């Protein structure tokens, strides 16, 4: 984890990294990473999480931006009633409807609420008929971002502080899959085109918004695109988090090679046939389009794989391979999750290992009694 954190800072080229808490989901590790020079602030995934972090993380670790819109009146009212939290937390919006909902929930009186605009970073071709990227925000054109900025200023209790955009088709899509050469070529061509288009459009959008109001920050990127996003003059800070744990989906990128840092172990409970063992549990499937790349990967002992007809099951997972016959009941098989922070929704504790020894135990969000999604 230390090596990955250092690599992220180096790749950022001197621009600060806002840590994506969704990718860690462990308060202790979030704080450790934020104390590394080069990291500053949190990109949270829900407002209740942001309120909790604002109350528990030291102020010098930076402010908190909620990466996704909140439409629940209760946490909005809690934010509006807490002057210290309101000064530290920024809400994400991408439309006037969300502004109206926020204002209706919090009323006209109280501390100002910080607002960040979510600019769509997807690549749209053929007049918008071909959409490559995340389905996040309707704000695509610079004029649309400027219009929403003016709508923020028209509401006295709201204060515009930032713009963010996440280029998932670049940052979250591996460009060096050894098993799929045609797909690899297509991904690289698409990403090259998308980088050029987004750099120009993001620059124009930021200028259009700044003509309406000054900005404290412009956030962009992700673990897979730190170099290219950092090169954009319009971007003042980056976002990353998955690269700290380095899950399986980040194994095949050309520009960086992270070191796998997060593992989980399952116990052998059955030996159903020669060349097969079954472990207890294991159906820890990652979010995204359902497919083999969202399944956990057995990595130790080497020589094991999932059984295609069963995959990873909720209560048992059969494995096959040359290592199966050497395993006994009670032995452990080590796995890597396909994604980063989602692993922590399954466990209460993370064991910290250094130089071959367990040097500590820290609770996950779940271990502290929180389920923010």
């Amino acid at each position: 984890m230390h090596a990955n954190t250092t690599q992220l800072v180096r790749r950022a080229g001197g621009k600060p990294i806002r840590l994506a808490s969704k990718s860690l989901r462990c308060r202790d590790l979030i704080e450790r990473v934020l104390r590394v020079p080069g990291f500053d602030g949190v990109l949270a995934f829900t407002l209740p999480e942001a309120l909790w972090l604002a109350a528990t993380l030291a102020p010098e670790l930076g402010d908190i931006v909620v990466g996704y819109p909140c439409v629940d009146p209760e946490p909005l009212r809690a934010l509006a009633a807490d002057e210290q939290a309101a000064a530290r937390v920024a809400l994400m919006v991408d439309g006037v409807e969300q502004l109206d909902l926020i204002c209706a929930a919090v009323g006209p009186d109280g501390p100002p609420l910080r607002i960040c605009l979510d600019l769509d970073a997807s690549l749209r071709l053929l007049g918008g008929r071909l959409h490559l990227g995340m389905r996040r925000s309707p704000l695509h054109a610079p004029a649309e971002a400027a219009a929403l900025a003016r709508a923020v200023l028209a509401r006295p209790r709201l204060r515009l502080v930032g713009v963010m955009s996440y280029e998932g088709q670049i940052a979250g899509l591996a460009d060096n899959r050894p098993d799929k050469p045609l797909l690899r070529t297509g991904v690289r061509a698409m990403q090259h085109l998308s980088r050029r288009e987004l750099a120009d459009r993001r620059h124009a959008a930021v200028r259009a918004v700044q003509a309406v109001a000054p900005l404290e920050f412009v956030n962009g990127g992700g673990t897979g695109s730190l170099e290219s996003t950092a090169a954009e003059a319009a971007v003042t800070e980056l976002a990353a988090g998955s690269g700290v744990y380095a899950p399986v989906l980040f194994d095949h990128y050309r520009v960086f090679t992270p070191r796998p840092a997060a593992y989980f172990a399952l116990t052998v409970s059955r030996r159903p046939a020669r060349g097969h063992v079954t472990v207890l549990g294991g159906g820890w499937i990652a979010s995204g389009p359902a497919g083999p790349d969202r399944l956990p990967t057995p990595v130790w002992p080497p020589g094991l794989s999932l059984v295609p007809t069963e995959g990873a099951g909720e209560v048992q997972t059969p494995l096959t391979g040359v290592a199966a016959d050497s395993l006994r009941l009670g032995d452990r098989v080590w796995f890597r999750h396909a994604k980063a922070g989602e692993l922590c929704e399954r466990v209460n504790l993370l064991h910290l290992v250094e130089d071959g020894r367990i040097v500590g135990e820290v609770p996950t969000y779940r271990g502290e009694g929180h389920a923010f999604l």
Side-chain angles (χ1 to χ4, degrees), residues 129-141:
R129 294 190 298 275
L130 180 58
H131 182 107
L132 301 172
M134 315 301 291
R135 294 282 186 177
R136 288 172 62 99
S137 168
L139 296 180
H140 190 77

Side-chain angles (χ1 to χ4, degrees), residues 216-232:
E216 294 180 13
F217 63 87
V218 176
N219 181 280
T223 289
S225 68
L226 290 183
E227 290 87 352
S228 60
T229 310
E232 294 185 34

Side-chain angles (χ1 to χ4, degrees), residues 264-312:
F264 64 94
L266 301 175
T267 304
V268 174
S269 59
R270 288 177 168 176
R271 295 168 51 85
R274 186 172 182 82
H276 292 76
V277 294
T278 301
V279 295
L280 183 64
W284 300 5
I285 313 302
S287 62
D293 63 344
R294 260 53 185 181
L295 297 175
T297 301
V299 293
W300 192 90
L304 293 173
S305 61
L306 301 175
V307 176
T309 55
E310 294 194 51

Side-chain angles (χ1 to χ4, degrees), residues 97-236:
E97 187 179 13
Q98 293 159 355
L99 299 179
D100 291 340
L101 188 149
I102 292 169
C103 291
V106 305
D109 301 321
L113 300 183
R114 296 163 57 82
I115 300 295
C116 179
L117 306 186
D118 192 350
L119 177 70
D120 175 45
S122 65
L123 177 63
R124 300 183 186 180
L125 302 173
L126 303 176
R129 294 190 298 275
L130 180 58
H131 182 107
L132 301 172
M134 315 301 291
R135 294 282 186 177
R136 288 172 62 99
S137 168
L139 296 180
H140 190 77
E144 294 171 334
L148 187 56
R150 287 190 291 270
V152 173
L153 265 62
R155 290 154 173 81
R157 196 168 176 188
L158 305 184
R159 182 158 65 90
L160 182 61
V161 297
V163 170
M164 82 154 286
S165 47
Y166 172 58
E167 51 266 36
Q169 74 278 12
I170 303 171
L173 192 58
D175 65 351
N176 200 30
R177 289 283 299 273
D179 55 334
K180 297 184 178 180
L182 291 179
L183 176 63
R184 183 174 67 233
T185 300
V187 166
R188 292 178 183 178
M190 178 276 295
Q191 290 179 340
H192 176 73
L193 178 62
S194 185
R195 287 188 190 98
R196 293 178 59 184
E197 185 276 337
L198 178 59
D200 291 341
R201 180 164 53 83
R202 183 154 43 196
H203 178 73
V206 169
R207 289 188 61 185
V209 172
Q210 288 177 326
V212 177
L215 295 173
E216 294 180 13
F217 63 87
V218 176
N219 181 280
T223 289
S225 68
L226 290 183
E227 290 87 352
S228 60
T229 310
E232 294 185 34
V235 174
T236 65

Side-chain angles (χ1 to χ4, degrees), residues 8-17 37-39 226 230 235-238:
L8 288 171
V9 172
R10 177 184 56 79
R11 293 177 56 216
K15 289 191 175 179
I17 301 173
F39 283 85
L226 290 183
V235 174
T236 65
E237 64 173 41
L238 308 171

